[in-house]
């Protein structure tokens, strides 16, 4: 048996060009300052606004991010800006130069993954984006690499810290929605436009990215249902609590037994025996179900400068080692080309009779009443919820799934229901 011999050799630090110095950029910078033995030095920082007050001397900053892309002295680039279009322009240009890049921009990756893959193939650069999905939880790399050959049945969970924070505060302290959202913003969890968090656009981007690694599905985010909690009320929180459940925003990537896969994000009633029940505040939780590996559950901080900066650091280490994603499911012949439809059981509050009729709600129980609200429950189709998503939103309706699903093409049976029961 050979023995590893310790070495005292200190590697030359890799030189990092940092584009963006918001919550994540500062988190990463601070981690690298506190942890020099990681072997990375931020040598250039590019930001947009020259007049903004920042916690470092003004001479540390420059204002033309493009200049970093051509700098041969930089070993690695990190893109952590807010603007998804500008992020795509910069990351695209960097990949065209064959550079190694880490990004935390989920909206950009979700919207442009096919082009980003092509650029890497054509020009030999590498893009890693662990920080884009579930903050500090190493979900992308684990699914992409460790589970590369595992047939996965589903990956689901709480992928947005801000909405989970709001739901926790409303339930624990009876906080008002607006007050709880202001706290999530003050703590740096929320996006600059918090609608992205509250209306579930942000977890939708994360689910779209995951779908490529889970089952080889490349989706346009606009084709994926996202319902959020903009219209959640204290009555909804009470309604769930009275049944021993909590409302969580759950994103799901679901492989279907007959073939195909689907992706959706909605509020869901989570029972006490689900691992997601105990995931509170800005934490995220991910449930993975594999054919051979069985069930896994991962929990960790899903938002915030240090947790997300820690994920960028992990990508920097991987880039320095020459690692790239395998995209094994994308290359496999089993890659899923189109998303499938599904029957979802939901409770709906505050939808007109016309809207309920349009959703073709097949009732599963009588209309339920809370002292302050009336709920209609039944099965509808994922495709119908998607079709009427904006109408539901404009009407101020609140939709929450029970977690029960069924195929749309076959009649419901006990055994089929058992197969499809997700949480
Ligand atoms: N706004 C996001 C969230 C940040 O609340 O989860 C992390 O992606």
């Amino acid at each position: 048996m050979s023995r590893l011999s310790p070495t005292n050799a200190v590697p030359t630090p890799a030189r990092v060009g940092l584009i963006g110095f918001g919550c994540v950029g500062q988190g990463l910078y601070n981690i690298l300052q506190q942890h020099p033995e990681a072997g990375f030095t931020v040598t250039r920082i590019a930001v947009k606004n020259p007049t903004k007050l920042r916690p470092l001397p003004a001479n540390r900053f420059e204002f033309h991010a493009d200049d970093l892309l051509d700098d041969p002295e930089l070993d690695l680039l990190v893109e952590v800006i807010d603007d998804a279009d500008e992020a795509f322009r910069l990351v695209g240009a960097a990949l065209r130069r064959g550079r190694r890049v880490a990004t935390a921009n989920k909206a950009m990756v979700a919207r442009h993954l096919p082009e980003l893959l092509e650029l890497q193939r054509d020009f030999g650069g590498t893009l890693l984006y662990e920080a884009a999905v579930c903050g500090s939880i190493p979900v992308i790399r684990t699914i992409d690499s460790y589970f590369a050959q595992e047939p996965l049945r589903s990956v689901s969970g709480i992928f947005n810290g801000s909405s989970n924070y709001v739901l926790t505060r409303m339930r624990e302290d009876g906080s008002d929605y607006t007050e709880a959202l202001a706290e999530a913003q003050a703590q740096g969890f929320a996006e600059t436009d918090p609608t992205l968090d509250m209306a579930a656009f942000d977890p939708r981007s994360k689910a779209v990215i995951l779908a490529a690694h889970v089952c080889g599905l490349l989706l346009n985010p606009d084709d994926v249902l996202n319902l959020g909690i903009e219209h959640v009320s204290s009555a909804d929180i009470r309604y769930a609590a009275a049944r021993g459940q909590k409302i969580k925003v759950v994103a799901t990537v679901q492989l279907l037994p007959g073939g195909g896969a689907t992706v959706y994000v909605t509020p869901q009633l989570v029972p006490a025996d689900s691992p997601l029940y105990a995931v509170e505040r800005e934490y995220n939780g991910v449930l993975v179900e594999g054919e051979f590996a069985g069930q896994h559950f991962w929990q960790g901080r899903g938002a915030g400068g240090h947790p997300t900066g820690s994920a960028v650091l992990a990508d920097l280490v991987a880039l320095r080692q020459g690692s790239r994603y395998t995209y094994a499911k994308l290359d496999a012949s089993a890659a899923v080309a189109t998303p499938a439809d599904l029957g979802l059981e939901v409770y709906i509050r505050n939808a007109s009779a016309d809207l309920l009729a349009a959703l073709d709600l097949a009732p599963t129980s009588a209309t339920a009443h809370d002292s302050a609200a009336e709920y209609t429950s039944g099965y509808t189709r994922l495709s119908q919820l998607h079709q009427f998503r904006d109408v539901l939103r404009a009407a101020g309706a609140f939709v929450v799934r029970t977690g029960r699903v069924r195929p749309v093409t076959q009649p419901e049976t006990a055994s089929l229901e058992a197969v499809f029961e997700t949480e």
Side-chain angles (χ1 to χ4, degrees):
M1 201 169 78
S2 68
R3 291 178 61 191
L4 290 174
S5 52
T7 168
N8 293 325
V10 181
T12 315
R15 289 154 304 191
V16 176
L18 179 57
I19 303 175
F21 203 67
C23 180
V24 180
Q26 289 179 43
L28 173 68
Y29 185 87
N30 191 258
I31 290 171
L32 297 181
Q33 290 298 107
Q34 286 186 38
H35 193 45
E37 56 277 28
F40 298 97
T41 313
V42 176
T43 49
R44 296 179 75 172
I45 310 175
V47 291
K48 188 169 79 176
N49 183 349
T51 56
K52 194 167 165 181
L53 222 57
R54 296 192 171 85
L56 292 179
N59 64 7
R60 284 297 274 123
F61 298 100
E62 52 192 293
F63 309 102
H64 300 287
D66 288 273
D67 294 348
L68 274 58
L69 310 184
D70 284 318
D71 182 350
E73 298 292 312
L74 293 174
D75 300 302
L76 305 167
L77 295 168
V78 172
E79 177 283 306
V80 282
I81 65 172
D82 212 21
D83 176 342
D85 293 335
E86 177 64 358
F88 178 58
R89 190 189 70 73
L90 288 166
V91 170
L95 292 176
R96 258 179 223 103
R97 289 158 171 78
R99 304 219 60 155
R100 291 175 287 172
V101 189
T103 180
N105 200 313
K106 53 253 160 164
M108 185 272 287
V109 177
R111 212 157 270 290
H112 297 288
L113 191 51
E115 295 134 285
L116 294 167
L117 289 170
E118 206 175 308
L119 286 170
Q120 291 174 81
R121 270 195 300 267
D122 291 351
F123 297 95
T126 309
L127 179 67
L128 298 182
Y129 41 79
E130 190 62 67
V133 180
C134 298
S136 62
I137 307 176
V139 56
I140 298 281
R141 206 187 309 177
T142 312
I143 287 176
D144 180 82
S145 172
Y146 185 84
F147 286 128
Q149 296 309 324
E150 170 77 20
L152 293 170
R153 289 183 176 152
S154 68
V155 175
S156 61
I158 297 166
F159 296 177
N160 183 264
S162 303
S163 51
N164 203 48
Y165 184 91
V166 167
L167 289 168
T168 302
R169 295 286 286 121
M170 287 179 76
R171 192 184 50 78
E172 280 180 355
D173 313 303
S175 292
D176 168 66
Y177 171 87
T178 316
E179 182 190 322
L181 173 56
E183 276 179 35
Q185 288 177 292
Q187 298 197 44
F189 305 145
E191 301 300 304
T192 308
D193 172 5
T195 314
L196 299 176
D197 298 297
M198 299 302 132
F201 289 96
D202 173 85
R204 180 179 76 172
S205 292
K206 294 164 180 170
V208 165
I209 296 170
L210 270 179
H213 297 272
V214 170
C215 56
L217 194 57
L218 287 176
L219 289 167
N220 177 342
D222 297 333
D223 295 336
V224 173
L225 172 69
N226 63 307
L227 295 171
I229 58 160
E230 322 93 290
H231 301 301
V232 71
S233 72
S234 51
D236 301 321
I237 308 277
R238 274 201 311 275
Y239 186 79
R243 285 155 184 76
Q245 296 173 325
K246 289 179 187 167
I247 296 171
K248 300 283 180 191
V249 178
V250 178
T252 304
V253 180
Q254 174 88 56
L255 277 289
L256 305 177
T262 195
V263 179
Y264 47 94
V265 188
T266 75
Q268 185 178 324
L269 292 170
V270 172
D273 61 0
S274 164
L276 297 181
Y277 186 86
V279 177
E280 301 287 26
R281 299 197 170 232
E282 78 275 20
Y283 278 79
N284 284 187
V286 184
L287 285 162
V288 177
E289 176 143 7
E291 191 174 323
F292 305 119
Q295 287 193 332
H296 287 235
F297 173 62
W298 312 324
Q299 180 178 215
R301 285 184 200 275
H306 276 163
T308 316
S310 151
V312 180
L313 171 58
D315 276 352
L316 288 176
V317 174
L319 287 170
R320 183 173 57 190
Q321 290 168 345
S323 300
R324 48 202 309 148
Y325 296 134
T326 69
Y327 295 103
K329 304 287 167 62
L330 207 62
D331 296 336
S333 55
V336 178
T338 49
D341 203 1
L342 207 56
L344 303 175
E345 191 187 39
V346 294
Y347 280 87
I348 303 185
R349 177 180 55 73
N350 206 21
S352 65
D354 285 352
L355 191 45
L356 293 173
L359 288 172
D360 208 11
L361 210 70
T364 44
S365 64
T367 299
H369 295 269
D370 177 79
S371 54
E374 187 175 293
Y375 298 88
T376 307
S377 73
Y379 273 95
T380 184
R381 285 180 181 217
L382 173 58
S383 57
Q384 284 169 305
L385 282 173
H386 191 242
Q387 185 185 348
F388 291 102
R389 183 194 65 175
D390 294 337
V391 183
L392 285 160
R393 215 170 261 157
F398 183 67
V399 180
V400 59
R401 291 198 303 114
T402 64
R404 280 186 283 275
V405 299
R406 67 184 189 189
V408 288
T409 48
Q410 298 164 51
E412 181 181 356
T413 67
S415 59
L416 210 51
E417 188 75 348
V419 170
F420 270 78
E421 202 87 31
T422 51
E423 280 98 38

